[in-house]
Amino acid sequence: MNKIKDVENYLKNLLFSGEITIEELENLSVRLRDELKQPKKKNTSSFSEVEVGWYAFAGGKFSPDSDAYPNCQGVVGWVNPDKNAPEGQRGLIITPDEVEMMWSDKYYETKIKDEYDGKGNTEKLIAYGKKCKINFPAAEWCVAYCKNGVRPGEGFMPAKEQLKRIVANRMIVNPALQKIDGSELSGWIWSSSEHDCDYARFVLAYNGYVDWGHKLYNRYNGEHQIKIPFSS
């Protein structure tokens, strides 16, 4: 019930600020009422039972309660509707942390443009940087991330479509992030999907709009440094 109240208060604030319409608020209210009718959710280590807005903890544990276990790693931002998806493709978790960094420190076309595989993109960017002596600060930050049981190399810079999936759930994800004093999805967020020599793709957290920006610009990235659960 607390989760529902948190979301309701968040939506009211958005309505008062003009960021959503009354119609959008009414549609989301229907979804909230439907959720209230569901049986009370329990803590679990089975990802098939996890929902968007739940919290991830060290040791592969999940709960709708942010205080259920120690070492909260972040919020579940997307769940694969395919319950038979293999490990590494079951969902996306976003950490509460955020930084502003350049996509790269040089204009150079890497041809790393996959729109769905952020982990693969990130690994290729790191390898490309070492080979060609180019820094990819945003991707490097995501890979180095290690807090609350997240190991270096688990985190990665999301691909364009992965980022869009999470942003689509922002009305649930942002209130959950607020509860753990995390940075909300906001502003322009870098993806790991390159556009061309000079530009890389980013997503506007307000509405999921996709565009491209100069790689040397600072944008919110890793912003929600993201990792796929069970990616090891």
Side-chain angles (χ1 to χ4, degrees):
M1 182 69 74
N2 289 336
K3 176 183 171 184
I4 302 299
K5 279 293 184 185
D6 291 338
V7 175
E8 286 180 336
N9 291 333
Y10 179 75
L11 292 175
K12 287 177 183 177
N13 290 335
L14 290 182
L15 179 63
F16 293 147
S17 66
E19 294 185 48
I20 62 172
T21 65
I22 293 178
E23 182 180 0
E24 289 174 324
L25 180 61
E26 290 175 344
N27 291 335
L28 288 165
S29 296
V30 171
R31 289 174 58 188
L32 290 171
R33 285 195 294 270
D34 289 341
E35 184 170 336
L36 279 171
K37 296 176 184 177
Q38 301 298 318
K40 186 177 180 180
K41 314 281 191 312
K42 297 181 179 179
N43 303 340
T44 182
S45 58
S46 171
F47 199 81
S48 63
E49 302 172 32
V50 173
E51 298 181 11
V52 171
W54 279 35
Y55 297 92
F57 300 86
K61 298 175 182 178
F62 299 88
S63 174
D65 181 1
S66 61
D67 298 318
Y69 305 102
N71 295 321
C72 180
Q73 297 176 328
V75 174
V76 177
W78 175 76
V79 174
N80 194 331
D82 179 5
K83 298 303 181 182
N84 296 316
E87 292 186 3
Q89 298 179 26
R90 296 173 178 173
L92 294 165
I93 297 168
I94 54 175
T95 72
D97 299 291
E98 169 179 285
V99 293
E100 288 185 36
M101 289 184 175
M102 296 183 292
W103 200 87
S104 66
D105 65 353
K106 295 178 183 177
Y107 290 124
Y108 205 97
E109 187 166 13
T110 67
K111 299 189 184 299
I112 299 171
K113 303 182 180 184
D114 195 288
E115 297 183 348
Y116 291 89
D117 185 8
K119 189 170 182 63
N121 285 349
T122 303
E123 291 172 350
K124 290 175 183 176
L125 286 171
I126 300 300
Y128 193 96
K130 291 178 179 178
K131 179 181 178 180
C132 300
K133 301 187 184 312
I134 299 174
N135 294 317
F136 297 96
E140 291 165 7
W141 181 80
C142 292
V143 169
Y145 186 89
C146 55
K147 291 183 180 180
N148 297 317
V150 179
R151 297 186 296 272
E154 280 191 297
F156 62 89
M157 193 173 180
K160 175 177 73 71
E161 292 300 319
Q162 290 176 314
L163 195 49
K164 284 178 63 178
R165 287 168 173 170
I166 293 171
V167 168
N169 291 322
R170 63 192 179 281
M171 298 300 185
I172 298 174
V173 172
N174 278 346
L177 284 169
Q178 287 179 343
K179 288 198 71 172
I180 57 174
D181 298 322
S183 298
E184 295 181 31
L185 293 163
S186 63
W188 298 101
I189 306 173
W190 277 128
S191 81
S192 58
S193 305
E194 184 181 61
H195 179 67
D196 60 18
C197 175
D198 299 330
Y199 298 90
R201 295 282 187 173
F202 56 74
V203 177
L204 177 58
Y206 168 61
N207 60 5
Y209 175 75
V210 178
D211 206 338
W212 51 83
H214 283 282
K215 294 176 179 178
L216 272 61
Y217 285 179
N218 281 347
R219 298 281 186 185
Y220 287 106
N221 66 82
E223 53 306 10
H224 299 24
Q225 170 266 353
I226 297 172
K227 72 184 186 72
I228 298 179
F230 315 117
S231 60
S232 59

mmCIF file of all heavy atoms in Angstrom, residues 193-225:
data_model
loop_
_atom_site.group_PDB
_atom_site.id
_atom_site.type_symbol
_atom_site.label_atom_id
_atom_site.label_comp_id
_atom_site.label_asym_id
_atom_site.label_seq_id
_atom_site.Cartn_x
_atom_site.Cartn_y
_atom_site.Cartn_z
ATOM 1 N N SER A 193 24.469 3.178 -27.789
ATOM 2 C CA SER A 193 24.268 2.994 -29.230
ATOM 3 C C SER A 193 24.807 4.207 -29.996
ATOM 4 O O SER A 193 24.282 5.314 -29.881
ATOM 5 C CB SER A 193 22.781 2.810 -29.541
ATOM 6 O OG SER A 193 22.237 1.748 -28.785
ATOM 7 N N GLU A 194 25.838 3.991 -30.784
ATOM 8 C CA GLU A 194 26.433 5.063 -31.577
ATOM 9 C C GLU A 194 25.533 5.426 -32.756
ATOM 10 O O GLU A 194 24.793 4.593 -33.274
ATOM 11 C CB GLU A 194 27.792 4.605 -32.096
ATOM 12 C CG GLU A 194 28.562 5.676 -32.856
ATOM 13 C CD GLU A 194 29.889 5.153 -33.371
ATOM 14 O OE1 GLU A 194 29.871 4.194 -34.187
ATOM 15 O OE2 GLU A 194 30.935 5.675 -32.956
ATOM 16 N N HIS A 195 25.603 6.702 -33.168
ATOM 17 C CA HIS A 195 24.882 7.135 -34.366
ATOM 18 C C HIS A 195 25.829 7.222 -35.561
ATOM 19 O O HIS A 195 25.581 6.656 -36.610
ATOM 20 C CB HIS A 195 24.203 8.480 -34.127
ATOM 21 C CG HIS A 195 23.456 8.994 -35.320
ATOM 22 N ND1 HIS A 195 22.321 8.376 -35.803
ATOM 23 C CD2 HIS A 195 23.697 10.052 -36.144
ATOM 24 C CE1 HIS A 195 21.886 9.031 -36.878
ATOM 25 N NE2 HIS A 195 22.704 10.048 -37.106
ATOM 26 N N ASP A 196 26.921 7.964 -35.383
ATOM 27 C CA ASP A 196 27.936 8.059 -36.438
ATOM 28 C C ASP A 196 29.244 8.535 -35.818
ATOM 29 O O ASP A 196 29.434 8.435 -34.602
ATOM 30 C CB ASP A 196 27.473 8.979 -37.583
ATOM 31 C CG ASP A 196 27.183 10.407 -37.133
ATOM 32 O OD1 ASP A 196 27.652 10.804 -36.038
ATOM 33 O OD2 ASP A 196 26.500 11.132 -37.874
ATOM 34 N N CYS A 197 30.099 9.076 -36.623
ATOM 35 C CA CYS A 197 31.415 9.506 -36.143
ATOM 36 C C CYS A 197 31.319 10.534 -35.020
ATOM 37 O O CYS A 197 32.058 10.459 -34.038
ATOM 38 C CB CYS A 197 32.214 10.076 -37.317
ATOM 39 S SG CYS A 197 33.826 10.773 -36.845
ATOM 40 N N ASP A 198 30.418 11.481 -35.145
ATOM 41 C CA ASP A 198 30.340 12.603 -34.215
ATOM 42 C C ASP A 198 29.274 12.460 -33.135
ATOM 43 O O ASP A 198 29.353 13.115 -32.098
ATOM 44 C CB ASP A 198 30.051 13.902 -34.982
ATOM 45 C CG ASP A 198 31.139 14.248 -35.979
ATOM 46 O OD1 ASP A 198 32.307 13.892 -35.719
ATOM 47 O OD2 ASP A 198 30.825 14.865 -37.019
ATOM 48 N N TYR A 199 28.275 11.628 -33.396
ATOM 49 C CA TYR A 199 27.107 11.602 -32.516
ATOM 50 C C TYR A 199 26.822 10.214 -31.938
ATOM 51 O O TYR A 199 27.152 9.190 -32.537
ATOM 52 C CB TYR A 199 25.856 12.042 -33.278
ATOM 53 C CG TYR A 199 25.912 13.450 -33.814
ATOM 54 C CD1 TYR A 199 26.415 13.712 -35.090
ATOM 55 C CD2 TYR A 199 25.453 14.527 -33.052
ATOM 56 C CE1 TYR A 199 26.464 15.009 -35.594
ATOM 57 C CE2 TYR A 199 25.497 15.820 -33.546
ATOM 58 C CZ TYR A 199 26.004 16.057 -34.818
ATOM 59 O OH TYR A 199 26.048 17.334 -35.310
ATOM 60 N N ALA A 200 26.159 10.213 -30.765
ATOM 61 C CA ALA A 200 25.663 8.981 -30.150
ATOM 62 C C ALA A 200 24.210 9.221 -29.741
ATOM 63 O O ALA A 200 23.771 10.365 -29.538
ATOM 64 C CB ALA A 200 26.500 8.600 -28.942
ATOM 65 N N ARG A 201 23.465 8.146 -29.608
ATOM 66 C CA ARG A 201 22.043 8.235 -29.276
ATOM 67 C C ARG A 201 21.827 8.514 -27.785
ATOM 68 O O ARG A 201 22.553 8.007 -26.932
ATOM 69 C CB ARG A 201 21.348 6.919 -29.619
ATOM 70 C CG ARG A 201 21.346 6.602 -31.104
ATOM 71 C CD ARG A 201 20.296 7.403 -31.828
ATOM 72 N NE ARG A 201 20.166 7.000 -33.221
ATOM 73 C CZ ARG A 201 19.218 7.461 -34.030
ATOM 74 N NH1 ARG A 201 18.342 8.335 -33.594
ATOM 75 N NH2 ARG A 201 19.164 7.053 -35.281
ATOM 76 N N PHE A 202 20.813 9.330 -27.496
ATOM 77 C CA PHE A 202 20.389 9.491 -26.112
ATOM 78 C C PHE A 202 18.862 9.531 -26.059
ATOM 79 O O PHE A 202 18.185 9.681 -27.080
ATOM 80 C CB PHE A 202 21.005 10.724 -25.441
ATOM 81 C CG PHE A 202 20.753 12.030 -26.149
ATOM 82 C CD1 PHE A 202 19.518 12.643 -26.109
ATOM 83 C CD2 PHE A 202 21.779 12.679 -26.835
ATOM 84 C CE1 PHE A 202 19.290 13.861 -26.727
ATOM 85 C CE2 PHE A 202 21.577 13.893 -27.463
ATOM 86 C CZ PHE A 202 20.326 14.487 -27.413
ATOM 87 N N VAL A 203 18.323 9.346 -24.859
ATOM 88 C CA VAL A 203 16.879 9.286 -24.658
ATOM 89 C C VAL A 203 16.472 10.360 -23.661
ATOM 90 O O VAL A 203 17.119 10.541 -22.626
ATOM 91 C CB VAL A 203 16.447 7.899 -24.137
ATOM 92 C CG1 VAL A 203 14.951 7.865 -23.851
ATOM 93 C CG2 VAL A 203 16.816 6.811 -25.149
ATOM 94 N N LEU A 204 15.402 11.063 -23.966
ATOM 95 C CA LEU A 204 14.852 12.064 -23.050
ATOM 96 C C LEU A 204 13.960 11.356 -22.034
ATOM 97 O O LEU A 204 12.963 10.731 -22.396
ATOM 98 C CB LEU A 204 14.055 13.111 -23.823
ATOM 99 C CG LEU A 204 13.342 14.191 -22.999
ATOM 100 C CD1 LEU A 204 14.347 14.964 -22.147
ATOM 101 C CD2 LEU A 204 12.587 15.145 -23.909
ATOM 102 N N ALA A 205 14.339 11.427 -20.768
ATOM 103 C CA ALA A 205 13.629 10.682 -19.723
ATOM 104 C C ALA A 205 12.191 11.161 -19.518
ATOM 105 O O ALA A 205 11.363 10.418 -19.012
ATOM 106 C CB ALA A 205 14.395 10.777 -18.410
ATOM 107 N N TYR A 206 11.899 12.372 -19.919
ATOM 108 C CA TYR A 206 10.552 12.912 -19.725
ATOM 109 C C TYR A 206 9.505 12.179 -20.555
ATOM 110 O O TYR A 206 8.389 11.948 -20.116
ATOM 111 C CB TYR A 206 10.563 14.410 -20.063
ATOM 112 C CG TYR A 206 9.197 15.038 -20.186
ATOM 113 C CD1 TYR A 206 8.330 15.052 -19.104
ATOM 114 C CD2 TYR A 206 8.772 15.605 -21.372
ATOM 115 C CE1 TYR A 206 7.072 15.619 -19.205
ATOM 116 C CE2 TYR A 206 7.533 16.179 -21.488
ATOM 117 C CZ TYR A 206 6.677 16.188 -20.408
ATOM 118 O OH TYR A 206 5.437 16.742 -20.514
ATOM 119 N N ASN A 207 9.872 11.793 -21.788
ATOM 120 C CA ASN A 207 8.865 11.190 -22.661
ATOM 121 C C ASN A 207 9.377 10.056 -23.554
ATOM 122 O O ASN A 207 8.637 9.526 -24.370
ATOM 123 C CB ASN A 207 8.229 12.265 -23.547
ATOM 124 C CG ASN A 207 9.248 12.965 -24.441
ATOM 125 O OD1 ASN A 207 10.412 12.592 -24.472
ATOM 126 N ND2 ASN A 207 8.803 13.989 -25.145
ATOM 127 N N GLY A 208 10.651 9.681 -23.409
ATOM 128 C CA GLY A 208 11.180 8.585 -24.204
ATOM 129 C C GLY A 208 11.624 8.980 -25.601
ATOM 130 O O GLY A 208 11.967 8.116 -26.413
ATOM 131 N N TYR A 209 11.649 10.279 -25.890
ATOM 132 C CA TYR A 209 12.076 10.757 -27.205
ATOM 133 C C TYR A 209 13.552 10.442 -27.431
ATOM 134 O O TYR A 209 14.379 10.628 -26.539
ATOM 135 C CB TYR A 209 11.847 12.262 -27.303
ATOM 136 C CG TYR A 209 12.350 12.902 -28.575
ATOM 137 C CD1 TYR A 209 11.664 12.734 -29.778
ATOM 138 C CD2 TYR A 209 13.510 13.677 -28.570
ATOM 139 C CE1 TYR A 209 12.131 13.335 -30.951
ATOM 140 C CE2 TYR A 209 13.978 14.278 -29.724
ATOM 141 C CZ TYR A 209 13.280 14.097 -30.921
ATOM 142 O OH TYR A 209 13.747 14.681 -32.067
ATOM 143 N N VAL A 210 13.889 9.945 -28.621
ATOM 144 C CA VAL A 210 15.269 9.569 -28.948
ATOM 145 C C VAL A 210 15.875 10.582 -29.913
ATOM 146 O O VAL A 210 15.239 10.990 -30.882
ATOM 147 C CB VAL A 210 15.330 8.167 -29.581
ATOM 148 C CG1 VAL A 210 16.770 7.817 -29.964
ATOM 149 C CG2 VAL A 210 14.766 7.127 -28.630
ATOM 150 N N ASP A 211 17.098 10.990 -29.637
ATOM 151 C CA ASP A 211 17.822 11.898 -30.527
ATOM 152 C C ASP A 211 19.300 11.526 -30.445
ATOM 153 O O ASP A 211 19.658 10.517 -29.867
ATOM 154 C CB ASP A 211 17.588 13.346 -30.089
ATOM 155 C CG ASP A 211 17.736 14.337 -31.236
ATOM 156 O OD1 ASP A 211 18.402 13.997 -32.239
ATOM 157 O OD2 ASP A 211 17.202 15.453 -31.130
ATOM 158 N N TRP A 212 20.147 12.338 -31.036
ATOM 159 C CA TRP A 212 21.585 12.102 -30.929
ATOM 160 C C TRP A 212 22.284 13.396 -30.566
ATOM 161 O O TRP A 212 21.852 14.493 -30.897
ATOM 162 C CB TRP A 212 22.153 11.515 -32.220
ATOM 163 C CG TRP A 212 21.795 12.259 -33.485
ATOM 164 C CD1 TRP A 212 22.399 13.352 -33.997
ATOM 165 C CD2 TRP A 212 20.728 11.937 -34.374
ATOM 166 N NE1 TRP A 212 21.792 13.743 -35.157
ATOM 167 C CE2 TRP A 212 20.758 12.880 -35.429
ATOM 168 C CE3 TRP A 212 19.759 10.934 -34.403
ATOM 169 C CZ2 TRP A 212 19.842 12.866 -36.473
ATOM 170 C CZ3 TRP A 212 18.852 10.920 -35.447
ATOM 171 C CH2 TRP A 212 18.908 11.877 -36.461
ATOM 172 N N GLY A 213 23.391 13.245 -29.838
ATOM 173 C CA GLY A 213 24.140 14.408 -29.385
ATOM 174 C C GLY A 213 25.625 14.226 -29.619
ATOM 175 O O GLY A 213 26.107 13.108 -29.805
ATOM 176 N N HIS A 214 26.372 15.327 -29.614
ATOM 177 C CA HIS A 214 27.822 15.273 -29.792
ATOM 178 C C HIS A 214 28.451 14.422 -28.695
ATOM 179 O O HIS A 214 28.160 14.597 -27.514
ATOM 180 C CB HIS A 214 28.410 16.686 -29.756
ATOM 181 C CG HIS A 214 28.193 17.448 -31.026
ATOM 182 N ND1 HIS A 214 28.955 17.218 -32.149
ATOM 183 C CD2 HIS A 214 27.310 18.428 -31.332
ATOM 184 C CE1 HIS A 214 28.524 18.030 -33.116
ATOM 185 N NE2 HIS A 214 27.540 18.767 -32.650
ATOM 186 N N LYS A 215 29.312 13.521 -29.081
ATOM 187 C CA LYS A 215 29.916 12.594 -28.138
ATOM 188 C C LYS A 215 30.721 13.281 -27.041
ATOM 189 O O LYS A 215 30.882 12.732 -25.953
ATOM 190 C CB LYS A 215 30.824 11.612 -28.886
ATOM 191 C CG LYS A 215 30.086 10.678 -29.831
ATOM 192 C CD LYS A 215 31.064 9.814 -30.598
ATOM 193 C CE LYS A 215 30.346 8.854 -31.519
ATOM 194 N NZ LYS A 215 31.281 8.028 -32.315
ATOM 195 N N LEU A 216 31.238 14.472 -27.319
ATOM 196 C CA LEU A 216 32.066 15.158 -26.341
ATOM 197 C C LEU A 216 31.257 15.982 -25.350
ATOM 198 O O LEU A 216 31.804 16.579 -24.425
ATOM 199 C CB LEU A 216 33.089 16.064 -27.036
ATOM 200 C CG LEU A 216 34.417 15.399 -27.424
ATOM 201 C CD1 LEU A 216 34.193 14.258 -28.413
ATOM 202 C CD2 LEU A 216 35.372 16.418 -28.038
ATOM 203 N N TYR A 217 29.921 16.013 -25.529
ATOM 204 C CA TYR A 217 29.072 16.732 -24.582
ATOM 205 C C TYR A 217 28.888 15.891 -23.328
ATOM 206 O O TYR A 217 28.818 14.675 -23.379
ATOM 207 C CB TYR A 217 27.688 16.992 -25.177
ATOM 208 C CG TYR A 217 27.635 18.088 -26.204
ATOM 209 C CD1 TYR A 217 26.426 18.394 -26.831
ATOM 210 C CD2 TYR A 217 28.760 18.812 -26.567
ATOM 211 C CE1 TYR A 217 26.351 19.390 -27.789
ATOM 212 C CE2 TYR A 217 28.690 19.809 -27.525
ATOM 213 C CZ TYR A 217 27.486 20.096 -28.132
ATOM 214 O OH TYR A 217 27.414 21.074 -29.086
ATOM 215 N N ASN A 218 28.725 16.563 -22.180
ATOM 216 C CA ASN A 218 28.335 15.865 -20.959
ATOM 217 C C ASN A 218 26.828 15.690 -20.977
ATOM 218 O O ASN A 218 26.073 16.641 -21.178
ATOM 219 C CB ASN A 218 28.714 16.681 -19.720
ATOM 220 C CG ASN A 218 30.174 16.557 -19.381
ATOM 221 O OD1 ASN A 218 30.858 15.700 -19.904
ATOM 222 N ND2 ASN A 218 30.655 17.412 -18.502
ATOM 223 N N ARG A 219 26.385 14.463 -20.787
ATOM 224 C CA ARG A 219 24.957 14.167 -20.650
ATOM 225 C C ARG A 219 24.797 13.235 -19.465
ATOM 226 O O ARG A 219 25.728 12.558 -19.055
ATOM 227 C CB ARG A 219 24.423 13.447 -21.902
ATOM 228 C CG ARG A 219 24.530 14.266 -23.163
ATOM 229 C CD ARG A 219 23.445 15.297 -23.270
ATOM 230 N NE ARG A 219 23.484 15.966 -24.559
ATOM 231 C CZ ARG A 219 22.706 16.976 -24.895
ATOM 232 N NH1 ARG A 219 21.834 17.451 -24.055
ATOM 233 N NH2 ARG A 219 22.793 17.527 -26.080
ATOM 234 N N TYR A 220 23.598 13.174 -18.914
ATOM 235 C CA TYR A 220 23.352 12.187 -17.874
ATOM 236 C C TYR A 220 23.445 10.809 -18.514
ATOM 237 O O TYR A 220 22.802 10.533 -19.499
ATOM 238 C CB TYR A 220 21.954 12.371 -17.271
ATOM 239 C CG TYR A 220 21.845 13.566 -16.395
ATOM 240 C CD1 TYR A 220 21.167 14.695 -16.815
ATOM 241 C CD2 TYR A 220 22.445 13.580 -15.150
ATOM 242 C CE1 TYR A 220 21.074 15.813 -16.012
ATOM 243 C CE2 TYR A 220 22.348 14.696 -14.340
ATOM 244 C CZ TYR A 220 21.669 15.805 -14.775
ATOM 245 O OH TYR A 220 21.589 16.908 -13.966
ATOM 246 N N ASN A 221 24.297 9.962 -17.926
ATOM 247 C CA ASN A 221 24.446 8.625 -18.471
ATOM 248 C C ASN A 221 24.366 7.646 -17.329
ATOM 249 O O ASN A 221 23.955 7.978 -16.268
ATOM 250 C CB ASN A 221 25.786 8.499 -19.195
ATOM 251 C CG ASN A 221 26.924 8.614 -18.257
ATOM 252 O OD1 ASN A 221 27.290 7.660 -17.608
ATOM 253 N ND2 ASN A 221 27.475 9.802 -18.139
ATOM 254 N N GLY A 222 24.756 6.506 -17.414
ATOM 255 C CA GLY A 222 24.857 5.489 -16.412
ATOM 256 C C GLY A 222 23.884 5.747 -15.342
ATOM 257 O O GLY A 222 23.692 5.007 -14.427
ATOM 258 N N GLU A 223 23.276 6.739 -15.442
ATOM 259 C CA GLU A 223 22.331 7.517 -14.685
ATOM 260 C C GLU A 223 21.519 6.603 -13.936
ATOM 261 O O GLU A 223 20.699 6.766 -13.284
ATOM 262 C CB GLU A 223 21.357 8.275 -15.561
ATOM 263 C CG GLU A 223 20.627 7.476 -16.582
ATOM 264 C CD GLU A 223 21.348 6.678 -17.502
ATOM 265 O OE1 GLU A 223 22.488 6.418 -17.483
ATOM 266 O OE2 GLU A 223 20.690 6.240 -18.273
ATOM 267 N N HIS A 224 21.804 6.163 -14.391
ATOM 268 C CA HIS A 224 21.185 5.068 -13.937
ATOM 269 C C HIS A 224 21.933 4.059 -14.685
ATOM 270 O O HIS A 224 21.582 3.656 -15.752
ATOM 271 C CB HIS A 224 19.761 5.106 -14.183
ATOM 272 C CG HIS A 224 19.148 6.285 -13.468
ATOM 273 N ND1 HIS A 224 19.740 7.416 -13.092
ATOM 274 C CD2 HIS A 224 17.927 6.416 -12.989
ATOM 275 C CE1 HIS A 224 18.953 8.187 -12.475
ATOM 276 N NE2 HIS A 224 17.876 7.611 -12.382
ATOM 277 N N GLN A 225 23.145 3.910 -14.069
ATOM 278 C CA GLN A 225 23.998 2.841 -14.544
ATOM 279 C C GLN A 225 23.126 1.607 -14.421
ATOM 280 O O GLN A 225 22.396 1.445 -13.468
ATOM 281 C CB GLN A 225 25.229 2.745 -13.662
ATOM 282 C CG GLN A 225 26.087 1.558 -13.878
ATOM 283 C CD GLN A 225 25.719 0.464 -12.938
ATOM 284 O OE1 GLN A 225 24.920 0.619 -12.058
ATOM 285 N NE2 GLN A 225 26.307 -0.681 -13.152
#
